[in-house]
Amino acid sequence: MYTQAMDTMPKELGEAPKTLRSAEELALQQRFDARIDAGDFIEAKDWMPDNYRKTLLRQISQHAHSEIVGMLPEGNWISRAPTLKRKAILLAKVQDEGGHGLYLYAAAETLGTSRDQMIDALHTGRAKYSSIFNYPTLSWADIGTIGWLVDGAAIMNQVPICRCSYAPYARAMIRICREESFHQRQGYDSLLVMMQQGTDAQRAMVQDAVNRWWWPCLMMFGPPDDQSPNSAQGMRWGIKRVSNDTLRQKFVDATVDQARVLGVTLPDPDLTWNEARQHWDFGAIDWPEFFRVVAGDGPCNQDRLANRVQAWDDGAWVREAALAHAQKQATKQQAA
Amino acid sequence: MTNPDTRTEWPLWEVFVRSRAGLDHKHCGSLHAADAAMAIQMARDVYTRRQEGCSLWVVPSAQITASDPGDKDMYFDPAEDKVYRHPTFYKLPSEVDHM
Amino acid sequence: MTASIQLQQDTATQYLLRLGDTCLILGQRLGEWCGHGPVLEEDIALTNMALDLIGQARALLSHAGAGQGLDEDQLAFLRDERDYRNPTLVELPRGDFAFTVQRNLMAATLLKLLWQRLQTSTDAELAAIAGKAVKEARYHQQHAADWVVRLGDGTAESARRSQAALAQLWRYVPELFEADAVDDAAAASGLGPRWADVQADWQAEVGAVLAEAGLQPPVGSAFRSTGKRGVHTEHMGHLLATMQHLQRAYPGGVW
């Protein structure tokens, strides 16, 4: 799942430091830049600029948080899945997302922060997650729509990151991308069945879901390029490979055809084919809404976080017990 | 209430999977577990969901000793570049060239 | 509103439904943990088990309905509450983690022992289902047993919760091994073992884990739950209302 980390983090993290540095550090920086330019990978124990480390930690951990929080809107419909096949598919999908979160936490931990510290940052609001998960899943069609649009957008964001300069992140992304295409296909299939073989009520359900999810999905690609001050540094470091607007346009172009096959209308009266550009023009995005939701004022922010905090707090005695037991066993073995 | 209390954080384990007999175990990531049995079970659930492995190894991360090619770059490349550090690059008068 | 299906209640169908509904209802309860587990890795493990159980339910319900022209979804989503044949044990709310792992231990041990014997069922399809399911049940039992021991012999709090869970669950165990005409017919035809036939092994295996965990089962009571006969607890109505909702609300729906 994509995170807007690059575009919503403090500007100073994305800049080169202004303080004086030693000649040795500058030499290391030059060597680092040369490696990046040559397309080499940076591994966990390699020297790296402090801002590079901090930026990556923020991006990877927030990407991980997004996967975990993303389990909640979809998990909401597991108990109500309409067939056993769809229930199994949804369970597998949500399980995958948990696994993706785990791969990403593991990658972030190579940068020197523990998972518990990252979780604490999430629970206290210091760390963010993709704002798309702050919207509610109100019908079964939302589940298919999330697969089609949200996972579709995430795939577009994630494929370039498979070539990220930081190797543990790139490796995690390759694993994730391999599993992700199943998610999008299953979501689309679920909608196609309802639109082509279902009842009028089901078709109305699908159209309603698309109406609510379309614009938030376009926002997943982050603010326009000219309002994304950190993108340039991200590109310089080989963390960000393609610009927000480029990815967003690519997504719209791919999705318009898919929507036509489905037989749904995308809720944008300004959506028109531009023959000169050879792309679809689309309407204005409500950026104030995006920033409001990112800042914590969306429909589900409080519920999502409360859920995660509750699960964590409720599980404290379990985690403590497991450790206590392991310690008892270790003591017994030593005594033996 | 959330408190990154290190007393309750489960230790980190590295996971190695051998997907087919005849191949080597490959490092595929890490996870947190309270003990070895749990680590194996979790590794199975997380890293072999799509039948990706026939053999699993888990090792506490703290037990792994690594060589550091990264350090080599940092400590040795600069030395190679800074020729004044390398003894053979100093031409000494022959009467003292036995150092 | 989609109306309930009617089905024939011959003993072979009931025998299959008991198995299938045990998997279905337990799978439903385990799925509720998704996103709420005590740690991410356990979230994945519990979801994995739910997936296995739903898979087993699909195979069993398909098989049970085939002779009557009913598919797995009609059976799963459109029966009246009285036609579900799971033992009461599996429909109880998921409780805390101690409750869940203990119930998992009890259910997985039962299923494993049944699947082992069902591999030689005279019903070839049931035998095939058992061949695959027994491996999954073994893993579920191992996972549950490890956790029961960790929590029973962990901290004071986990021990307290474990003992409380055991006290709650133990009342629902006798039903598992009650003999009746359905089981007698299955044993006679070679369809499968009486559930009572695995009681001794079940007591031994579960007893060993509880002992290692330092847990003491309460004194038995005369209470007998009746889920296998279709008479459930107050919890079942809510579970089914949730699970069946979409199928009921969209007559003719295709998913």
Side-chain angles (χ1 to χ4, degrees):
Chain A
M1 293 278 128
Y2 172 71
T3 173
Q4 305 102 195
M6 289 296 310
D7 303 304
T8 54
M9 67 185 187
K11 190 162 181 296
E12 58 275 10
L13 258 195
E15 289 173 349
K18 294 188 171 69
T19 54
L20 288 174
R21 302 158 86 193
S22 69
E24 189 179 329
E25 206 184 322
L26 281 171
L28 289 166
Q29 176 78 58
Q30 277 177 339
R31 202 166 328 279
F32 175 83
D33 288 342
R35 285 177 71 183
I36 299 283
D37 290 341
D40 281 351
F41 283 115
I42 310 295
E43 294 286 354
K45 298 301 290 292
D46 292 342
W47 183 92
M48 61 185 79
D50 208 41
N51 274 353
Y52 177 86
R53 181 188 300 274
K54 285 195 184 125
T55 300
L56 272 171
L57 185 56
R58 202 174 173 102
Q59 172 153 337
I60 301 171
S61 63
Q62 293 191 176
H63 195 161
H65 296 326
S66 297
E67 296 283 351
I68 304 314
V69 176
M71 293 168 76
L72 292 171
E74 290 177 294
N76 184 32
W77 281 89
I78 287 173
S79 60
R80 288 175 291 175
T83 65
L84 294 181
K85 175 180 152 193
R86 293 291 173 200
K87 198 195 283 283
I89 289 168
L90 185 55
L91 279 165
K93 178 176 199 267
V94 178
Q95 192 192 32
D96 273 355
E97 274 148 27
H100 295 174
L102 213 142
Y103 304 153
L104 290 163
Y105 282 128
E109 282 188 282
T110 64
L111 289 163
T113 305
S114 77
R115 195 201 295 180
D116 278 14
Q117 286 173 314
M118 290 187 257
I119 287 175
D120 186 59
L122 172 69
H123 290 178
T124 53
R126 285 175 285 127
K128 304 245 173 263
Y129 53 89
S130 187
S131 59
I132 193 71
F133 301 119
N134 291 314
Y135 293 88
T137 48
L138 299 178
S139 79
W140 174 253
D142 286 40
I143 299 303
T145 305
I146 286 175
W148 171 39
L149 296 179
V150 175
D151 285 306
I155 289 169
M156 246 173 225
N157 268 318
Q158 284 168 185
V159 167
I161 307 178
C162 293
R163 288 176 289 121
C164 173
S165 55
Y166 189 58
Y169 191 20
R171 284 192 287 269
M173 288 316 306
I174 290 170
R175 214 173 229 284
I176 288 171
C177 286
R178 260 208 311 261
E179 298 176 356
E180 200 80 60
S181 63
F182 144 72
H183 297 177
Q184 192 191 19
R185 260 204 296 280
Q186 288 298 342
Y188 191 76
D189 174 71
S190 159
L191 298 178
L192 198 59
V193 166
M194 285 193 274
M195 291 302 292
Q196 291 185 343
Q197 303 171 48
T199 62
D200 289 343
Q202 287 180 293
R203 275 189 284 274
M205 190 192 350
V206 174
Q207 182 63 63
D208 172 73
V210 172
N211 291 346
R212 281 180 289 104
W213 286 92
W214 174 248
W215 290 106
C217 283
L218 291 190
M219 294 176 198
M220 283 176 72
F221 296 94
D225 293 347
D226 56 18
Q227 289 175 44
S228 300
N230 295 316
S231 286
Q233 185 62 62
M235 303 264 203
R236 179 71 192 82
W237 278 332
I239 298 173
K240 191 174 180 63
R241 296 287 187 186
V242 189
S243 84
N244 295 352
D245 288 335
T246 306
L247 286 172
R248 189 176 5 253
Q249 181 68 70
K250 199 169 159 211
F251 175 74
V252 173
D253 292 342
T255 312
V256 170
D257 285 335
Q258 293 163 355
R260 194 178 28 83
V261 170
L262 267 185
V264 297
T265 309
L266 295 174
D268 182 359
D270 297 320
L271 198 56
T272 16
W273 177 250
N274 186 317
E275 189 61 35
R277 285 199 316 129
Q278 286 291 298
H279 287 294
W280 284 90
D281 288 338
F282 51 93
I285 293 171
D286 185 356
W287 290 114
E289 177 188 331
F290 170 73
F291 285 111
R292 251 194 322 107
V293 176
V294 165
D297 195 25
C300 297
N301 301 55
Q302 290 184 4
D303 285 345
R304 299 289 181 238
L305 209 53
N307 253 299
R308 288 309 312 151
V309 173
Q310 174 107 57
W312 183 255
D313 290 348
D314 286 351
W317 69 268
V318 177
R319 298 189 297 273
E320 281 163 26
L323 264 183
H325 179 77
Q327 276 152 17
K328 283 190 209 179
Q329 295 303 100
T331 312
K332 273 189 213 159
Q333 272 176 8
Q334 275 165 15
Chain B
M1 270 286 297
T2 311
N3 175 15
D5 185 349
T6 49
R7 280 176 302 140
T8 57
E9 180 161 32
W10 289 355
L12 192 63
W13 301 71
E14 302 299 325
V15 180
F16 302 82
V17 178
R18 175 169 60 208
S19 52
R20 261 199 344 267
L23 299 181
D24 291 324
H25 281 78
K26 214 165 97 90
H27 179 243
C28 55
S30 62
L31 50 80
H32 287 272
D35 58 49
M38 198 193 287
I40 284 281
Q41 272 165 8
M42 287 175 170
R44 176 198 178 272
D45 282 327
V46 174
Y47 290 103
T48 67
R49 271 202 315 287
R50 284 168 169 71
Q51 276 91 46
E52 285 146 17
C54 72
S55 169
L56 280 169
W57 287 351
V58 293
V59 185
S61 310
Q63 295 280 316
I64 296 182
T65 308
S67 71
D68 266 327
D71 281 350
K72 174 177 171 292
D73 272 0
M74 181 169 93
Y75 291 117
F76 296 106
D77 279 359
E80 282 170 37
D81 280 351
K82 291 171 184 158
V83 294
Y84 56 85
R85 288 214 185 150
H86 205 293
T88 60
F89 283 92
Y90 286 88
K91 275 260 165 262
L92 293 175
S94 51
E95 53 268 50
V96 292
D97 195 16
H98 55 265
M99 288 189 262
Chain C
M1 273 287 288
T2 314
S4 294
I5 50 158
Q6 302 305 315
L7 68 161
Q8 286 151 37
Q9 295 288 10
D10 58 285
T11 54
T13 301
Q14 286 197 55
Y15 188 85
L16 290 173
L17 289 180
R18 280 180 185 175
L19 267 173
D21 289 344
T22 299
C23 298
L24 175 70
I25 301 300
L26 184 57
Q28 178 78 357
R29 283 305 189 202
L30 283 179
E32 291 172 11
W33 275 100
C34 192
H36 305 286
V39 73
L40 183 52
E41 286 83 348
E42 272 314 305
D43 225 295
I44 294 170
L46 290 171
T47 309
N48 209 17
M49 281 185 270
L51 210 44
D52 286 345
L53 287 164
I54 297 298
Q56 290 162 21
R58 293 181 68 187
L60 287 163
L61 293 181
S62 278
H63 185 43
Q68 302 181 40
L70 294 167
D71 68 31
E72 66 192 37
D73 291 322
Q74 286 173 301
L75 282 174
F77 296 98
L78 295 175
R79 271 180 285 164
D80 197 59
E81 182 178 323
R82 290 299 170 87
D83 291 331
Y84 286 85
R85 302 293 169 165
N86 56 283
T88 302
L89 178 75
V90 297
E91 76 199 39
L92 303 172
R94 63 183 166 98
D96 67 9
F97 196 68
F99 188 93
T100 282
V101 298
Q102 278 193 35
R103 196 237 311 262
N104 277 0
L105 174 67
M106 294 173 185
T109 305
L110 172 68
L111 285 169
K112 184 200 77 174
L113 293 167
L114 292 173
W115 291 131
Q116 279 171 343
R117 288 155 181 76
L118 286 167
Q119 287 177 104
T120 51
S121 170
T122 51
D123 178 331
E125 193 171 330
L126 183 56
I129 295 171
K132 180 169 176 273
V134 70
K135 294 180 215 150
E136 292 169 350
R138 235 183 262 133
Y139 180 73
H140 298 182
Q141 186 195 28
Q142 182 70 63
H143 178 270
D146 287 349
W147 270 109
V148 170
V149 170
R150 270 182 210 118
L151 297 181
D153 186 25
T155 59
E157 178 170 7
S158 69
R160 180 184 59 75
R161 286 174 180 261
S162 297
Q163 197 59 55
L166 185 55
Q168 275 184 284
L169 286 163
W170 205 247
R171 308 171 70 230
Y172 299 95
V173 168
E175 182 196 355
L176 302 177
F177 307 112
E178 276 184 325
D180 64 8
V182 170
D183 277 2
D184 287 342
S189 69
L191 177 63
R194 293 181 183 82
W195 289 27
D197 293 346
V198 305
Q199 181 171 20
D201 287 342
W202 188 96
Q203 299 277 20
E205 290 184 24
V206 172
V209 177
L210 294 178
E212 199 187 336
L215 297 171
Q216 185 75 341
V219 176
S221 77
F223 171 74
R224 290 293 178 272
S225 49
T226 51
K228 288 197 297 188
R229 280 188 257 146
V231 180
H232 294 280
T233 62
E234 290 178 352
H235 305 297
M236 191 66 167
H238 294 285
L239 183 154
L240 292 178
T242 299
M243 194 173 81
Q244 296 190 350
H245 164 70
L246 282 176
Q247 285 268 355
R248 298 284 187 179
Y250 288 83
V254 183
W255 305 97

